[in-house]
Amino acid sequence: MSAPRRRPVTVLGLGVMGRALASALLAAGHPTTVWNRTPGRSAALAGTGANVAGSPAEAVAAGELVVVCLLDDEVTRRVLDEAAPALAGRTVVDLTNGTPEQARRLAEWVTARGARHVDGGIMAVPAMIGGPGALVLYSGGQDAFLDWRDTLAAFGEARWLGTDPGRAAVYDLALLAAMYGLFGGFLHATAMIRAAGVPAGEFAPMVTGWLTAMLGELPAMAAAVDSGTHDGDGSSLRMQAAGFGNLLAACRDLGVDAGLMRPVRDLLDEAVARGHGEEGLSVLVDLLHTGATGSPGTARSSG
Ligand code: FVH
């Protein structure tokens, strides 16, 4: 029996991630057309069967599904604009990092040109694409997503988050915030431990064990945020604010910049000053969430 015919697809953008996505589509048997501003980046893909287009319009015309993976939303808009006459009838899946508002605006722009739009957020590094740990979040055009779900599964688990085109982006950025918090904590801790003369490699297993234990707290903290009952489970903010000063003092003594930690201290102090001293860390979510137009609290600044 012959293999089922795969529909033709296109990838716009052959950075590290775009190349991984194009490779996954080729491996899944899709006739794959690629385009990149800098032509040299398509050489290896051409060697494994990709068609290389000379312009965004030529690339879009060749694929029923157009996967976009460019630097940012501004570049995406510029590249899609060049391809606008070829967009009608296509499904555009934008995997470029962006804000929820950018995703909603692009959805309007794409659908106004007769194409379907799905926004996506890739929760994986390029080497993970096509492997078991890769997760890609999607939202926007549901019919388009369902139509292409099996193809998109070539990248990793394809998780649907609803018809708001901005939904995938807000999850993506929130997950990145969690990741940067974790990495920021690790980097600061490692700077302290190295300043104390301990090699990072010796410290890493200890910090991994500690963070793994602390990850177990997250479900209870999330439940506290949802219920509004922040009992702190034996670790009051008053106690934590008092101890945090020692962390900053030790950094001073070690010659380590405490810039990543000071906002946490400020937030703890603000929470205590507002009468939350006997509550737990989960109450800080209420202080951080000032509303879309809310002015930042005294301890924080907006982006
Ligand atoms: N790599 C990662 O770990 C993350 C994982 C999660 C998702 N992100 C997002 O994916 C988008 C692309 O990321 P990337 O890693 O492929 O990034 P680069 O290797 O820097 O490739 C950038 C591509 O964008 C093209 N490009 C840049 N500026 C322009 C422009 N003015 N006109 C046309 N194309 C442009 C660039 O082309 P070139 O420099 O090779 O000519 C690359 O194709 C991104 O949103 C991540 O946040 C990756």
Side-chain angles (χ1 to χ4, degrees):
M1 214 164 67
S2 61
R5 193 187 76 84
R6 303 274 187 216
R7 291 180 283 176
V9 300
T10 286
V11 177
L12 298 178
L14 299 178
V16 198
M17 185 53 88
R19 292 200 298 276
L21 299 173
S23 294
L25 291 168
L26 282 164
H30 287 277
T32 302
T33 299
V34 297
W35 173 85
N36 195 58
R37 175 183 63 170
T38 306
R41 286 189 159 185
S42 54
L45 289 164
T48 55
N51 310 307
V52 179
S55 69
E58 187 189 326
V60 167
E64 294 177 31
L65 171 72
V66 178
V67 174
V68 185
C69 192
L70 291 159
L71 183 64
D72 58 21
D73 182 65
E74 194 187 327
V75 171
T76 296
R77 289 297 287 260
R78 214 176 308 146
V79 169
L80 285 180
D81 203 39
E82 275 190 58
L87 277 172
R90 304 287 179 267
T91 292
V92 175
V93 173
D94 182 17
L95 299 181
T96 303
N97 182 278
T99 70
E101 266 315 297
Q102 287 170 344
R104 292 183 192 114
R105 281 199 296 269
L106 189 71
E108 270 181 34
W109 187 90
V110 165
T111 51
R113 277 145 193 87
R116 302 189 295 186
H117 174 272
V118 176
D119 190 63
I122 304 174
M123 308 319 302
V125 296
M128 292 166 68
I129 293 300
L135 168 68
V136 187
L137 311 171
Y138 297 97
S139 68
Q142 188 163 15
D143 291 347
F145 172 74
L146 293 175
D147 189 15
W148 287 99
R149 181 167 54 185
D150 292 348
T151 297
L152 297 172
F155 303 147
E157 181 192 337
R159 196 172 302 175
W160 177 247
L161 294 175
T163 54
D164 171 8
R167 196 71 171 168
V170 75
Y171 271 76
D172 181 357
L173 296 173
L175 288 169
L176 288 179
M179 179 193 79
Y180 282 118
L182 183 139
F183 286 152
F186 171 72
L187 296 171
H188 180 87
T190 301
M192 286 180 75
I193 217 74
R194 192 177 65 175
V198 181
E202 194 180 310
F203 178 60
M206 195 179 285
V207 74
T208 302
W210 170 240
L211 289 180
T212 303
M214 289 299 99
L215 286 178
E217 298 291 314
L218 299 191
M221 288 175 79
V225 170
D226 289 341
S227 70
T229 307
H230 306 281
D231 64 17
D233 200 19
S235 301
S236 72
L237 291 186
R238 173 189 47 73
M239 173 278 293
Q240 296 195 58
F244 216 91
N246 294 330
L247 199 164
L248 299 186
C251 289
R252 241 187 339 268
D253 294 346
L254 288 163
V256 170
D257 186 330
L260 286 173
M261 293 293 124
R262 273 192 293 273
V264 182
R265 188 267 321 266
D266 292 347
L267 196 54
L268 287 170
D269 287 350
E270 183 182 342
V272 172
R274 287 198 198 181
H276 298 292
E278 297 311 317
E279 296 179 291
L281 282 173
S282 53
V283 77
L284 299 181
V285 171
D286 292 345
L287 272 72
L288 287 167
H289 180 193
T290 58
T293 55
S295 55
T298 52
R300 301 170 302 285
S301 60
S302 57

